[in-house]
Amino acid sequence: MPDSDRGRRAMLGMVASALSFSLMGVCVKQVGGRIPAAEVVLARAIVSVALSWWLLRRAGISPWGQRRWLLIWRGVIGTAALLCVYAALAALPLASATVLQYLYPPFTGLLAWLMLGERIGKRVVAAMALGWLGVLLVAQPGGSMALAWQPVLIAVAGALFTALAYVSVRSLGQSEHPLVIVFYFPLVALPLSLPLVALHPVLPTPMEVLWLLGVGLFTQLGQVYLTRSLMALPAARATAISYVQVLFAGGWGWLMFGEAIDAWTIAGAALVLAATLVSLSHRQRAR
């Protein structure tokens, strides 16, 4: 496949990943008022382990990979990120939690440069700057949004862990199949979340079980699209494209939770969209 087609598919994959994760946020928000974050992570891990195992068997791929310690490390970091993200989604408005999560692209670009030696081009820097400005506008709609500092700090920690996980995926892409990387994430999350759930178990209702299944399903889809795209794109460019998740979150928040969308939110969303379009218009030069 030509590099241009491969890059285009990877970019579209990042958009699909963002949509899937935004739907995951809706499901988490539906149960977050009563079900602890660790229990949501456990439910997600159970669903994703089953789906990943089925996909690996169907593709005839060994699930255990080559760089197992790095795969486990990626799972540990990803689990920490999920705990923070789910806790923030439960405590904050959907759009606000998603916006704070999108502090991770600058972290990712910096870590990819420090750890992987990836060069950050001018167009990607411009896209990140536009997206960052859009995030700030959405975070302060009308200047009247007041967020509790505890969930805000949790969301920022989730952004940092997410950046570390993204960079590790980029490194693992050199040796591992995408489905193997996706499989290790819930495989590690399962034993890590069990002790936390045992401390404060909550029996979900039948409707909550459906929402928890939705968390697992949409997270699995998002992870598959994300992992494949990160293996084909530089980490900084991929995360700049994924800013479109803020748009999705704002739409779901308005439709399902009655979250107001004012001029500040619209302006921020426009900048986020501009960041995505700048990234999509990038054309790699032949050497």
Side-chain angles (χ1 to χ4, degrees), residues 203-227:
L203 183 65
T205 65
M207 182 57 67
E208 286 172 337
V209 169
L210 293 178
W211 288 118
L212 289 172
L213 289 174
V215 171
L217 176 61
F218 288 122
T219 306
Q220 178 76 6
L221 289 173
Q223 284 294 327
V224 171
Y225 282 122
L226 172 68
T227 303

Side-chain angles (χ1 to χ4, degrees), residues 75-110:
V76 171
I77 297 171
T79 301
L82 273 187
L83 286 169
C84 293
V85 169
Y86 288 173
L89 282 169
L92 298 171
L94 180 60
S96 300
T98 304
V99 161
L100 290 171
Q101 170 66 6
Y102 270 82
L103 292 171
Y104 78 82
F107 294 151
T108 303
L110 178 62

Side-chain angles (χ1 to χ4, degrees), residues 87-88 91-92 96 100-101 103 146-159:
L92 298 171
S96 300
L100 290 171
Q101 170 66 6
L103 292 171
L147 302 178
W149 65 268
Q150 295 96 334
V152 168
L153 290 180
I154 291 172
V156 172

Side-chain angles (χ1 to χ4, degrees), residues 17-249:
S17 172
L19 176 60
S20 298
F21 284 134
S22 72
L23 290 169
M24 175 271 294
V26 170
C27 295
V28 172
K29 194 71 179 171
Q30 292 287 357
V31 300
R34 204 178 75 90
I35 305 296
E39 194 164 333
V40 181
V41 171
L42 177 63
R44 180 265 179 198
I46 293 172
V47 174
S48 293
V49 163
L51 288 174
S52 297
W53 182 261
W54 175 73
L55 290 171
L56 285 165
R57 291 294 299 271
R58 182 183 178 188
I61 299 169
S62 171
W64 308 118
Q66 302 178 44
R67 302 160 69 187
R68 295 177 184 175
W69 283 111
L70 185 55
L71 286 163
I72 292 173
W73 172 241
R74 183 265 183 275
V76 171
I77 297 171
T79 301
L82 273 187
L83 286 169
C84 293
V85 169
Y86 288 173
L89 282 169
L92 298 171
L94 180 60
S96 300
T98 304
V99 161
L100 290 171
Q101 170 66 6
Y102 270 82
L103 292 171
Y104 78 82
F107 294 151
T108 303
L110 178 62
L111 291 171
W113 173 57
L114 292 174
M115 301 172 64
L116 304 180
E118 291 187 359
R119 181 178 176 274
I120 303 178
K122 294 180 180 179
R123 188 175 292 273
V124 174
V125 171
M128 291 176 64
L130 284 172
W132 179 254
L133 180 57
V135 163
L136 292 178
L137 290 178
V138 176
Q140 301 176 17
S144 61
M145 179 179 290
L147 302 178
W149 65 268
Q150 295 96 334
V152 168
L153 290 180
I154 291 172
V156 172
L160 179 57
F161 284 127
T162 299
L164 286 168
Y166 277 25
V167 172
S168 68
V169 168
R170 182 69 180 162
S171 178
L172 284 166
Q174 301 172 8
S175 61
E176 309 296 341
H177 192 279
L179 290 177
V180 173
I181 301 174
V182 172
F183 173 65
Y184 263 83
F185 189 174
L187 186 67
V188 174
L190 197 58
L192 289 180
S193 58
L194 270 174
L196 298 175
V197 173
L199 291 175
H200 183 53
V202 175
L203 183 65
T205 65
M207 182 57 67
E208 286 172 337
V209 169
L210 293 178
W211 288 118
L212 289 172
L213 289 174
V215 171
L217 176 61
F218 288 122
T219 306
Q220 178 76 6
L221 289 173
Q223 284 294 327
V224 171
Y225 282 122
L226 172 68
T227 303
R228 289 177 175 173
S229 297
L230 283 176
M231 294 172 71
L233 292 172
R237 184 178 306 144
T239 51
I241 295 171
S242 67
Y243 273 121
V244 75
Q245 185 179 340
V246 178
L247 293 177
F248 294 138

